[in-house]
Amino acid sequence: QYISSLRHRFQRRGLPMISVDTKKRELVGNFNNAGVKWDSSPVLVNDHDFRSDSTGVAIPYGIYDLLANCGSVFLGVSHDTSAFAAHSIAAWWKREGSLRYRRARQLLILADTGGSNSCRRHAWKTELQAQLSNPFDLAVTVAHYPTGTSKWNPIEHRLFSEISKNWAAEPLHSYQKILNFLRTTTTKTGLAVSAYLDRAHYPTGLNADPVLFRSLRLRPHKTLPAWNYTITPNL
């Protein structure tokens, strides 16, 4: 109910709302991909998914714009970290969001409670402050879906499910092939998807920068403050 009220408030004012999440990590190579398709002949793939047989990993971080019915996927090749998640959102805002919502100074992010955008990760909050709120002078409101309710996160059924249908039973041989499948994902309701390759390395096991954490401007909401909060620019 609280997330619904936040969405209604932002939608009424025409302010941007995005739903974010990381889709399942994929091995890049001649591996079996779930699903079925019609074809004139079978496609032979490896019978085991060994990391040593792949050319790399693909980590799709998705961003779904609720008002515009547009999706963006940033394809990482390293690790699913909070820095990667925040960088993807910041890159989306720079490339698309700021052009679509030129006067907006507020952004609503809907996210799960776990993963790289976990409500318990200090790094997720400090990276949003450093990479998104400060550089673009944005007040970033984050609302986390409770544990076990991620299926209500709009990105799951409006973007990720359509991507899975589009590349069903197709071996993901290369990054370019994955990007092509992402960019050609459409629906009858007008969904459009952009995709970008992020070759940066994001190391794991790093704690939040103590300096950034001390300067974090986070205001918890009165309703479920651990899951709902606003980060304002630290200028």
Side-chain angles (χ1 to χ4, degrees), residues 87-105:
H87 178 79
S88 299
I89 299 171
W92 168 82
W93 181 257
K94 182 178 180 180
R95 295 176 187 233
E96 301 181 28
S98 61
L99 303 180
R100 202 172 289 148
Y101 307 97
R102 293 182 181 275
R103 297 183 179 180
R105 288 295 173 266

Side-chain angles (χ1 to χ4, degrees), residues 201-219:
H201 177 67
Y202 296 95
T204 59
L206 299 181
N207 295 322
D209 187 318
V211 176
L212 289 177
F213 189 70
R214 284 194 297 270
S215 63
L216 182 64
R217 296 193 62 182
L218 184 145
R219 178 179 61 82

